Amino acid sequence: MGQIRREVLRFCITLLDHLLQDNEYESAIISGLAVLGIKEDKGWLNAEDYTLKYSAVIKLARLMVIQEAYKRRQERIRMMRDHGASFFDEMVELNGGRPLDCQA
């Protein structure tokens, strides 16, 4: 994945992570979904027709988050491999420096 595509992916995730407070109209995602609900004859789509579009947006949002998480994990593995860190050392680090409890 090229750098520009990665930045676009991160931008889209940032749009999804927009905090809604008093004004939902400040969210590009909410505004975009509203536009998708407009019919050509200047009316609104029925809920049944709109649900498919809304579902598609949710599926794509999930895929974008998964792709970014995968890329971050691959970068972390590459960094650890290049710097000689072991998987166990990373797990101890993620556990706040405390030894791992390996008992089930």
Side-chain angles (χ1 to χ4, degrees):
M1 173 180 289
Q3 183 65 27
I4 292 175
R5 288 182 184 213
R6 182 76 183 274
E7 292 303 323
V8 169
L9 176 64
R10 288 178 176 165
F11 174 71
C12 290
I13 291 172
T14 300
L15 289 176
L16 293 167
D17 198 32
H18 181 82
L19 180 63
L20 296 177
Q21 292 180 349
D22 294 344
N23 191 351
E24 62 273 4
Y25 299 108
E26 291 181 8
S27 169
I29 295 293
I30 300 281
S31 297
L33 288 170
V35 169
L36 286 176
I38 299 174
K39 292 188 344 186
E40 290 182 25
D41 65 357
K42 299 182 183 177
W44 293 98
L45 290 175
N46 295 326
E48 300 87 26
D49 298 329
Y50 186 69
T51 303
L52 292 174
K53 292 181 181 190
Y54 192 60
S55 178
V57 170
I58 292 170
K59 290 254 188 225
L60 289 173
R62 287 178 175 175
L63 288 172
M64 287 187 288
V65 170
I66 289 169
Q67 184 169 5
E68 178 62 16
Y70 175 79
K71 290 292 187 183
R72 286 184 184 189
R73 181 67 182 146
Q74 293 303 310
E75 289 169 356
R76 180 76 171 148
I77 290 170
R78 192 176 315 111
M79 184 184 78
M80 288 175 54
R81 185 181 56 230
D82 293 346
H83 291 86
S86 70
F87 177 76
F88 182 76
D89 292 338
E90 180 190 10
M91 292 298 108
V92 170
E93 179 185 329
L94 292 173
N95 197 35
R98 297 182 306 274
L100 298 175
D101 182 9
C102 296
Q103 297 176 354

